[in-house]
Amino acid sequence: MQSDHRPVIILVRPQMGENIGAAARAMLNFGLTEMRLVAPRDGWPNPKAVAMASGAAGRVLDHVRVYPTLAEAMEGVEFAFATTARGRELSKPVHSPQSAMEVARSHQGRVAIIFGPERAGLENDDVARANAIVTVPVNPDFPSLNLAQAVLLMGYEWGRVEMPPEPAPHGRRPVGEMLADRVEIERLGDHYEEKLTEAGFFFPESKAANMRLNLRNMWSRLVLTRGDVRILHGMLRQLTRR
């Protein structure tokens, strides 16, 4: 998607420069680059924010725009989410991070995600300026999220669809190599079971059957190429050579 379709991150009255920098890092992890600040407590620019942003994420801070009020920070925004665990007395749709970002992706205009100050979060006057609320389902015995964590959660829900596909997971077939079939894996398991039996590994006898079962189950979980199987046979032959 075009960069101007990515959500704008608005931090309302942030209190610590370190949290602003950490939020910038969380944004860039998932391809979000536009941050707006409303009345930051310690002013702007803030060297502590730059230090925390660390490297590439500093470019997010290079283009930060600062506004005196949230109303002014909504410039160009057509739809806004307020992240809060409160404000439900205001009649607004309430979303999880996942459903909120589904709405954001379907929206044709500019979308903003609004985060409140670290100590108390958004006030109802702030929430009233949003179209909808986002509430993170967390442990009710400890519902506190810091600012950067909240930004990271929203960024992840945006980025997991918008960002490039993830790398191939470990265990996927190496390029150009054939995977061993189940018969080859069975023969490898037989070879190891034979040699381990000769070495007295399956002891005591009362546990031997379960040990064999667990070993066989281990082989079945491994993703092995035919080359891997040959190496494992060869290793065992060398180790057991008299």
Side-chain angles (χ1 to χ4, degrees):
M1 296 201 174
Q2 298 300 315
S3 61
D4 61 3
H5 184 70
R6 300 172 190 170
V8 179
I9 301 299
I10 301 177
L11 308 185
V12 178
R13 299 180 297 280
Q15 296 169 306
M16 298 178 63
E18 293 90 339
N19 289 334
I20 298 172
R25 293 177 65 168
M27 288 171 59
L28 198 57
N29 283 152
F30 301 105
L32 303 178
T33 58
E34 184 172 346
M35 175 186 284
R36 300 181 186 182
L37 303 179
V38 175
R41 183 190 67 182
D42 296 335
W44 193 259
N46 187 313
K48 292 182 179 179
V50 175
M52 180 59 77
S54 181
R59 71 183 191 225
V60 175
L61 301 182
D62 290 341
H63 301 286
V64 162
R65 297 164 67 183
V66 181
Y67 298 83
T69 67
L70 176 57
E72 292 168 281
M74 302 277 267
E75 174 187 4
V77 170
E78 297 181 16
F79 194 98
F81 293 97
T83 59
T84 179
R86 302 181 303 169
R88 290 177 183 245
E89 62 270 22
L90 301 172
S91 180
K92 292 182 184 295
V94 178
H95 293 272
S96 68
Q98 179 181 357
S99 66
M101 293 303 92
E102 289 171 356
V103 172
R105 283 189 287 272
S106 68
H107 205 280
Q108 297 301 310
R110 204 72 197 276
V111 173
I113 311 170
I114 306 168
F115 299 85
E118 296 91 322
R119 180 170 297 176
L122 293 170
E123 298 177 357
N124 280 347
D125 284 349
D126 304 316
V127 177
R129 288 180 164 79
N131 301 83
I133 288 170
V134 182
T135 296
V136 179
V138 294
N139 178 4
D141 293 331
F142 190 70
S144 177
L145 289 174
N146 70 35
L147 179 58
Q149 287 174 325
V151 173
L152 186 72
L153 279 170
M154 298 303 296
Y156 170 76
E157 288 297 344
W158 172 264
R160 69 190 183 93
V161 172
E162 298 296 317
M163 296 294 287
E166 62 182 301
H170 294 298
R172 187 169 291 180
R173 179 193 308 179
V175 176
E177 292 196 47
M178 294 292 293
L179 289 180
D181 63 26
R182 302 318 305 168
V183 172
E184 291 167 317
I185 299 295
E186 281 291 316
R187 289 173 180 165
L188 180 64
D190 291 341
H191 191 184
Y192 271 79
E193 187 171 321
E194 174 192 348
K195 296 302 181 182
L196 289 171
T197 299
E198 292 174 3
F201 176 76
F202 299 109
F203 180 85
E205 185 62 31
S206 60
K207 296 184 178 179
N210 195 52
M211 293 170 71
R212 288 186 171 90
L213 178 63
N214 288 335
L215 184 63
R216 188 68 61 169
N217 186 52
M218 182 194 76
W219 290 119
S220 71
R221 293 199 309 269
L222 297 179
V223 179
L224 299 173
T225 66
R226 288 179 173 174
D228 295 332
V229 169
R230 287 193 296 271
I231 290 171
L232 288 168
H233 278 298
M235 289 167 56
L236 185 58
R237 282 192 291 268
Q238 188 65 28
L239 287 170
T240 58
R241 181 176 294 171
R242 296 186 185 277

